[in-house]
Amino acid sequence: MLYLILKYAHVVAAVTTISGFVLRGYWMLVDSKILQHPVTKIAPHIIDTVFLHAGSGMMWLLHLEPLKQPWLIAKFTGLVVYVLLGAVAIRRGPTKQIRTIAFASAVAVFAYIVGVALTRSPLSWLSF
């Protein structure tokens, strides 16, 4: 039962985090002041914390060793790349063109991570 709770929390957090990221990316593209609102800055961290803890909880319950699972290594590597690209896209990119490219790339990396999660293969969507 705990596993199912963690799994659903993880999936809901995944959908929420990418939805929020796409919305913040849109706000970046249209130069919206909403990006500066405190809730816009804090909420992603709360959602991502739930996301990470639910995933970690599932690994613990399943006794998975991340360094022995190639698909988990791929997922974590993708996560780091997604976070770095997201930071460039939302606030660190020096120009809108760079932020836009980073935004599109981050969404593509997130799609890769979802593919890895569903197939349990570093090949992601190519495994289907």
Side-chain angles (χ1 to χ4, degrees), residues 28 31 88-90 93-103:
M28 175 274 298
D31 297 317
V88 171
I90 301 301
T95 67
K96 186 174 277 191
Q97 181 180 13
I98 289 171
R99 290 191 309 270
T100 302
I101 292 167
F103 172 66

Side-chain angles (χ1 to χ4, degrees), residues 48-65:
D48 292 344
T49 299
V50 170
F51 191 25
L52 185 61
H53 284 288
S56 298
M58 286 188 300
M59 282 189 333
W60 181 75
L61 284 175
L62 295 174
H63 305 288
L64 292 175
E65 296 181 47

Side-chain angles (χ1 to χ4, degrees), residues 20-100:
F21 180 71
V22 168
L23 183 59
R24 286 181 290 134
Y26 170 75
W27 289 336
M28 175 274 298
L29 291 171
V30 300
D31 297 317
S32 175
K33 301 279 185 202
I34 299 172
L35 275 175
Q36 303 310 316
H37 193 278
V39 172
T40 305
K41 290 183 172 189
I42 295 168
H45 299 293
I46 295 168
I47 295 162
D48 292 344
T49 299
V50 170
F51 191 25
L52 185 61
H53 284 288
S56 298
M58 286 188 300
M59 282 189 333
W60 181 75
L61 284 175
L62 295 174
H63 305 288
L64 292 175
E65 296 181 47
L67 297 178
K68 293 184 180 179
Q69 304 290 330
W71 68 278
L72 282 175
I73 294 170
K75 217 174 151 182
F76 288 129
T77 302
L79 177 64
V80 170
V81 172
Y82 168 73
V83 168
L84 293 173
L85 287 169
V88 171
I90 301 301
R91 62 179 168 248
R92 304 242 186 252
T95 67
K96 186 174 277 191
Q97 181 180 13
I98 289 171
R99 290 191 309 270
T100 302

